[in-house]
Amino acid sequence: MNREKKKFRININLIFAIVLLVIIGICIWRLIEWNRRSVEVDTDVAYEDFATECLDYYSYPESPKERPEGWKEHILVVGNLMVDNRGEEHSILNIMREKLDAEIIPVVARNTKVSCYNEIDETTNATDAFSLYYTIRSLCTKDFSMQYYFAPSNGIPASAFGTVAEQNNYIDTISALNMDDIDTLIIMYSLQDYYAQVTPVYEGAVETRITSYYGTLCSSINMLQEYYPHINIILCSPAPEYILRDGKIETCFLADYGNGNASSYINLMGLISMNKCISYIDNYYYGITENNIEQFVSEFDLNEAGIELIGNHIVDYLNHR
């Protein structure tokens, strides 16, 4: 009997040791995979005395589609002027087209922001109709009536666009899209919500309040995950910006227009990405700082160097997934 008990104890110890080794092995493998997918880029940016950490991370979609051999990744980019630099040749969009082996499909409404002016189905203006929420809702429900309602009038585009051609291209693109072909969807907007003093998040973190930054992002992502679980959703944060006030630079790192500085919005993006298990590209803390911002930004917009820096950051991220 004692011999059997001893043998039983030995077997238990052996099983425990095997399980422990398996757990250690899995942890080591996960660390190796995490390191493999991490992006290291020499940006030639001189970092200042204070330290910031770029928080890029990648999350796999819930149900990725099997694609045939030779399939080119289809990347849909939804955003505002940050995407195409107001239609200029040098833009983040064109850097992606040049350096990625993928089909890049832009859906850009230049003068929009993330949030809406009115709550769901209360909108009476063109800026809301072409905003992130209603763009995503139209892509999910295939109902484009709101966008068609604000068709160009007398050769004048809706307020969300710079030209009639831009507006027509937007409508033609979203109405013709087959979302089953889309592998990756990137949400890319500049800091318009921050300048417009949009409420970052309402008390109780209500996900359906699209007049808040938090509510619009959550509502849009929820719809995409419900309708298209195969799509890898990537939330792409704005890059830092500044404005000139009385001849002096006022950066988004410090200026408070009613709801804190820009980090009030950026931090929400990171939180939403983690809560919704989607991917995140952190442009805000990537290399543009309070002390070097004039090197990369020309009041509101990224300049040539800034477009190159952020465009290459996004490309490197996508190439290292």
Side-chain angles (χ1 to χ4, degrees):
M1 180 65 72
N2 289 337
R3 186 179 297 173
E4 288 179 0
K5 285 184 178 179
K6 185 175 181 182
K7 185 177 180 181
F8 178 74
R9 283 198 299 270
I10 292 172
N11 288 339
I12 288 294
N13 291 337
L14 181 61
I15 291 169
F16 177 78
I18 292 171
V19 170
L20 185 61
L21 286 172
V22 169
I23 292 172
I24 292 171
I26 291 172
C27 290
I28 292 171
W29 176 78
R30 292 293 294 173
L31 284 170
I32 292 171
E33 276 292 290
W34 175 83
N35 186 61
R36 182 181 65 80
R37 295 200 306 268
S38 296
V39 179
E40 286 189 20
V41 184
D42 181 8
T43 64
D44 295 324
V45 175
Y47 286 83
E48 314 301 333
D49 294 334
F50 57 89
T52 56
E53 182 180 0
C54 182
L55 300 175
D56 291 346
Y57 57 84
Y58 183 77
S59 179
Y60 293 98
E62 182 181 331
S63 307
K65 281 186 179 290
E66 290 291 330
R67 299 301 191 187
E69 187 176 347
W71 176 269
K72 252 189 181 181
E73 181 181 10
H74 286 49
I75 301 176
L76 177 62
V77 186
V78 177
N80 64 1
L81 56 86
M82 181 178 174
V83 178
D84 69 349
N85 190 28
R86 294 184 169 85
E88 295 293 329
E89 183 66 25
H90 192 219
S91 64
I92 292 173
L93 174 64
N94 285 337
I95 289 174
M96 292 173 65
R97 282 174 165 162
E98 176 188 348
K99 297 186 177 182
L100 291 173
D101 184 23
E103 183 76 25
I104 312 296
I105 305 162
V107 173
V108 176
R110 179 194 297 182
N111 301 323
T112 56
K113 50 186 173 53
V114 169
S115 62
C116 293
Y117 289 102
N118 302 293
E119 294 297 349
I120 294 175
D121 293 327
E122 293 178 0
T123 188
T124 55
N125 65 77
T127 306
D128 277 5
F130 298 99
S131 67
L132 171 65
Y133 174 80
Y134 286 105
T135 296
I136 298 301
R137 191 171 85 167
S138 294
L139 289 171
C140 290
T141 63
K142 301 301 181 184
D143 178 4
F144 308 103
S145 56
M146 183 173 292
Q147 287 83 11
Y148 282 118
Y149 178 80
F150 290 99
S153 175
N154 299 320
I156 301 172
S159 56
F161 300 90
T163 66
V164 169
E166 286 177 15
Q167 183 169 352
N168 288 335
N169 184 63
Y170 167 100
I171 293 173
D172 291 344
T173 300
I174 65 168
S175 58
L177 267 177
N178 180 358
M179 293 298 285
D180 288 336
D181 288 342
I182 301 300
D183 303 293
T184 300
L185 188 148
I186 300 176
I187 297 171
M188 189 188 306
Y189 285 79
S190 59
L191 285 170
Q192 299 300 327
D193 295 79
Y194 159 66
Y195 292 118
Q197 302 177 40
V198 169
T199 301
V201 58
Y202 288 113
E203 186 177 351
V206 183
E207 294 193 356
T208 54
R209 295 290 300 277
I210 62 172
T211 52
S212 74
Y213 197 71
Y214 177 88
T216 306
L217 285 172
C218 287
S219 294
S220 303
I221 292 164
N222 288 343
M223 278 191 292
L224 284 170
Q225 291 181 324
E226 177 185 350
Y227 281 82
Y228 306 114
H230 70 279
I231 292 179
N232 172 29
I233 304 167
I234 301 178
L235 200 50
C236 189
S237 81
E241 299 174 9
Y242 72 80
I243 64 171
L244 287 174
R245 192 182 296 276
D246 299 326
K248 295 181 180 179
I249 285 181
E250 195 170 86
T251 73
C252 63
F253 296 110
L254 300 175
D256 181 348
Y257 299 117
N259 292 298
N261 60 32
S263 65
S264 301
Y265 302 84
I266 304 302
N267 293 341
L268 279 174
M269 296 186 88
L271 177 65
I272 292 167
S273 298
M274 288 187 288
N275 288 346
K276 301 296 180 183
C277 296
I278 64 173
S279 303
Y280 183 59
I281 302 179
D282 181 7
N283 296 311
Y284 191 76
Y285 294 112
Y286 181 64
I288 302 175
T289 69
E290 178 78 17
N291 294 331
N292 70 12
I293 194 167
E294 288 183 273
Q295 181 183 341
F296 299 104
V297 179
S298 297
E299 192 175 13
F300 288 117
D301 297 332
L302 292 168
N303 60 21
E304 296 289 302
I307 289 169
E308 201 69 23
L309 176 72
I310 300 302
N312 284 323
H313 175 215
I314 293 168
V315 166
D316 286 326
Y317 171 95
L318 292 170
N319 279 332
H320 285 80
R321 287 175 290 171

